[in-house]
């Protein structure tokens, strides 16, 4: 199967098969893939929290509005957070980035208001989301990205420090009775000429 076929088969899963769990080996591969995610100036301002513990997963589900059932039934939940302690982030920049990247950060990012800087860092975490969903698709792991959560509750439950929770992704395998699968209802997308232009 080529990547286009994986993209055609991928969808935001609404119902998971509770009898199937993702293997430890596949979860480790996903962790390694997230570590390789791209970011502007290689800033890597993120924290990825993998949750398979049923008690914790259920607590997070209860802080997830209409997404609760998906999280409870999924094999794993991955929580994506951005570093919002800018003092600690700058230390990380100084210790790990190349000279040109450090210079870019100090010249163009740091002088902004704090809120704008954290917004810029958050954009880097959203880049990882697309990278991650694509990886899941090629591994034939189903996923549900969710912003419909209570970030402050997530932060409390997971005892996350120096980071702001942005969104989460449920992982597992689709239930055969999920009526929203592409092979049952197709995929709804805008016409190509509406969203893509070519300048030859």
């Amino acid at each position: 199967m080529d990547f286009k076929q994986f993209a055609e088969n991928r969808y935001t899963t609404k119902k998971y098969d509770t009898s199937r769990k993702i293997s430890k080996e596949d979860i480790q591969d996903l962790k390694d893939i997230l570590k390789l995610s791209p970011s502007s100036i290689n800033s890597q301002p993120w924290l990825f929290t993998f949750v398979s513990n049923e008690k914790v997963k259920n607590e997070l589900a209860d802080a997830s509005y209409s997404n609760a059932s998906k999280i409870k039934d999924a094999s794993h939940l991955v929580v994506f957070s951005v570093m919002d302690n800018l003092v600690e982030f700058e230390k990380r920049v100084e210790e790990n980035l190349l000279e040109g990247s450090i210079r870019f950060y100090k010249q163009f990012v740091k002088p902004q208001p704090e809120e704008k800087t954290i917004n810029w860092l958050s954009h880097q975490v959203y880049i990882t989301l697309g990278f991650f969903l694509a990886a899941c698709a090629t591994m034939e792991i189903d996923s549900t990205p969710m912003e419909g959560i209570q970030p402050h509750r997530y932060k409390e439950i997971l005892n996350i420090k120096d980071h702001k929770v942005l969104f989460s992704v449920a992982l597992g395998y689709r239930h055969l009775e999920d009526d929203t699968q592409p092979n049952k209802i197709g995929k709804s997308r805008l016409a190509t000429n509406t969203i893509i232009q070519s300048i030859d």
Side-chain angles (χ1 to χ4, degrees):
M1 193 182 293
D2 62 23
F3 188 76
K4 182 182 174 185
Q5 289 174 298
F6 284 117
E8 289 170 342
N9 190 50
R10 199 214 77 79
Y11 75 116
T12 298
T13 304
K14 301 295 189 294
K15 186 177 177 64
Y16 284 94
D17 182 346
T18 57
S19 69
R20 297 185 66 193
K21 301 297 180 185
I22 302 170
S23 70
K24 290 181 179 178
E25 293 77 15
D26 281 348
I27 290 296
Q28 186 58 53
D29 282 348
L30 288 173
K31 290 176 180 178
D32 293 340
I33 287 165
L34 277 173
K35 183 180 175 182
L36 295 168
S37 293
S39 60
S40 180
I41 66 168
N42 200 24
S43 52
Q44 306 172 72
W46 42 58
L47 175 69
F48 308 111
T49 307
F50 282 71
V51 182
S52 58
N53 179 283
E54 290 299 326
K55 180 178 180 296
V56 177
K57 194 153 63 72
N58 286 337
E59 285 183 47
L60 294 169
D62 291 339
S64 303
Y65 305 113
S66 62
N67 290 308
S69 62
K70 303 179 193 80
I71 295 170
K72 289 180 179 180
D73 292 345
S75 172
H76 288 69
L77 184 71
V78 186
V79 180
F80 289 63
S81 305
V82 63
M83 200 164 199
D84 63 354
N85 181 330
L86 296 183
V87 173
E88 288 302 312
F89 177 71
E90 189 164 344
K91 285 181 188 175
R92 186 182 288 184
V93 167
E94 294 276 7
E95 291 170 2
N96 296 286
L97 299 193
L98 296 174
E99 189 176 317
S101 296
I102 295 171
R103 192 162 52 245
F104 180 94
Y105 176 77
K106 288 183 174 179
Q107 183 176 351
F108 297 108
V109 181
K110 185 179 177 180
Q112 303 177 110
E114 182 174 307
E115 183 181 350
K116 196 167 182 181
T117 296
I118 293 171
N119 189 45
W120 181 83
L121 296 176
S122 298
H123 291 165
Q124 312 315 311
V125 182
Y126 275 89
I127 290 172
T128 72
L129 175 60
F131 197 67
F132 185 68
L133 296 180
C136 289
T138 63
M139 295 169 68
E140 299 187 318
I141 293 171
D142 293 305
S143 59
T144 309
M146 297 169 285
E147 288 184 303
I149 63 173
Q150 298 176 49
H152 294 296
R153 288 285 297 120
Y154 268 55
K155 187 177 171 85
E156 289 171 8
I157 293 166
L158 298 173
N159 194 29
I160 290 174
K161 308 293 185 188
D162 298 325
H163 290 77
K164 171 185 174 184
V165 173
L166 295 175
F167 54 88
S168 63
V169 179
L171 300 176
Y173 299 99
R174 66 188 71 178
H175 197 290
L176 293 177
E177 294 177 1
D178 187 345
D179 292 330
T180 63
Q181 296 178 64
N183 64 338
K184 293 188 176 186
I185 63 169
K187 294 196 81 159
S188 175
R189 294 295 187 270
L190 296 172
T192 301
N193 61 4
T194 303
I195 61 165
I196 296 173
Q197 65 178 31
S198 299
I199 302 171
D200 300 318

